């Protein structure tokens, strides 16, 4: 999902996604370096307008995303239960509440007025990082994605997201919600595929300002090493 549109993977290959009991549930694109490059370009194109939007405008869009997800909660709960065998209803409810929470924060994370030695005041403003790469945890495929995306975009960043490798269908269903929620194209871009290799490519990309990675210690080390050359922030 790049630039507000569903996109075919550059490789032409797909990945088969199975349920927790081994049934075939569907297929997703197998993203590669070229797909990430396109996603980063789309994120940069959207960044100017999104970062300059008022906190109130970003809040309203996050509320709209939350409302549209809540309207399809039963569908998402079934999908999550099929993939993970967990409590899909509880996960969707938590994801909706988290979207509302960061929607509420969007217009409150503003600057502060500081007293200075001279006669006057100084206004300190918070600014977005820019384009962020997000590699989501394997567990809780919807809640994990929302927990990374919502705080990043609520303060004006645009994101390139690598969803759960084993349960990505929650993410590919979620972008249908984004398409109906007035979110500007390119603010959220989703590339499915092998998480560790995609995360390392994001870490190596000079036009990505930060990487937030969830995964194994080996993946953490690879992301940190790849980010050292371009002084990228990592979490």
């Amino acid at each position: 999902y790049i630039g507000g549109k569903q996109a075919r993977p550059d490789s032409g290959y797909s990945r088969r996604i199975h349920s927790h009991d081994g049934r075939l549930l569907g297929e997703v694109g197998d993203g590669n370096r070229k797909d990430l490059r396109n996603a980063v370009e789309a994120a940069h194109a959207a960044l100017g307008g999104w970062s300059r939007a008022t906190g109130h405008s970003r809040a309203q869009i996050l509320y709209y995303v939350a409302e549209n997800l809540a309207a399809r909660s039963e569908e998402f709960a079934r999908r999550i239960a099929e993939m993970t065998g967990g409590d899909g209803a509880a996960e969707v409810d938590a994801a909706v509440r988290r979207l509302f929470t960061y929607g509420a924060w969007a217009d409150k994370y503003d600057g502060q007025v500081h007293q200075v030695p001279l006669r006057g005041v100084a206004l300190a403003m918070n600014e977005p990082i820019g384009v962020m790469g997000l590699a989501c945890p394997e567990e809780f495929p919807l809640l994990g994605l929302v927990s990374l995306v919502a705080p990043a975009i609520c303060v004006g960043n645009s994101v390139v997201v690598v969803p759960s490798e084993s349960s990505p269908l929650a993410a590919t269903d979620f972008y249908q919600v984004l398409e109906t929620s007035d979110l500007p194209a390119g603010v959220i871009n989703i590339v499915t595929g092998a998480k560790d290799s995609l995360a390392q490519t994001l870490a190596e990309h000079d036009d990505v300002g930060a990487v937030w990675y969830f995964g194994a210690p080996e993946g953490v080390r690879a992301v940190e090493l790849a980010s050292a050359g371009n002084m990228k922030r990592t979490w």
Side-chain angles (χ1 to χ4, degrees):
Y1 180 69
I2 297 174
K5 298 178 181 179
Q6 299 179 43
R8 291 183 180 273
D10 175 69
S11 67
Y13 294 110
S14 61
R15 303 169 69 91
R16 295 162 68 89
I17 306 303
H18 294 87
S19 67
H20 66 96
D21 56 4
R23 293 180 292 109
L24 178 65
L25 294 178
E27 298 182 358
V28 297
D30 194 6
N32 63 14
R33 183 180 296 269
K34 176 65 161 53
D35 297 311
L36 287 178
R37 187 173 68 193
N38 293 340
V40 171
E41 289 177 359
H44 271 287
L47 182 61
W50 184 248
S51 64
R52 288 194 299 268
T54 64
H56 176 76
S57 296
R58 293 196 294 267
Q60 293 304 305
I61 289 174
L62 279 165
Y63 289 147
Y64 199 10
V65 173
E67 290 166 355
N68 286 337
L69 178 59
R72 297 177 57 182
S73 58
E74 292 184 4
E75 173 189 344
F76 274 82
R78 285 195 302 271
R79 175 73 93 181
I80 292 167
E82 285 179 333
M83 287 189 296
T84 67
D87 188 344
E91 181 172 343
V92 175
D93 181 64
V96 170
R97 286 188 282 110
R98 197 148 296 178
L99 284 165
F100 276 121
T101 295
Y102 283 107
W105 271 108
D107 61 354
K108 299 173 182 65
Y109 188 73
D110 50 9
Q112 293 182 326
V113 176
H114 298 277
Q115 293 183 342
V116 293
L118 301 176
R119 296 181 61 185
V121 294
L123 182 63
M125 298 297 296
N126 294 311
E127 295 184 347
I129 293 170
V131 175
M132 294 180 61
L134 311 177
C136 299
E138 289 303 299
E139 59 273 20
F140 305 110
L142 177 64
L143 181 60
L145 181 145
V146 166
S147 298
L148 271 64
V149 168
I153 68 171
C154 92
V155 293
N157 300 293
S158 58
V159 297
V160 177
V161 187
V162 181
S164 168
E165 183 175 345
S166 59
S167 305
L169 296 180
T172 57
D173 288 348
F174 186 65
Y175 63 58
Q176 299 170 16
V177 172
L178 301 179
E179 288 176 333
T180 59
S181 301
D182 292 343
L183 184 77
V187 173
I188 299 176
N189 305 275
I190 300 173
V191 179
T192 54
K195 182 173 70 174
D196 283 353
S197 64
L198 292 175
Q200 182 166 353
T201 299
L202 285 171
E204 293 169 349
H205 202 302
D206 289 345
D207 287 334
V208 176
V211 171
W212 196 357
Y213 172 88
F214 280 77
E218 297 79 12
V220 171
R221 177 175 172 80
V223 166
E224 289 183 346
L225 288 175
S227 299
N230 49 36
M231 300 297 289
K232 187 183 275 80
R233 299 185 219 187
T234 59
W235 293 274

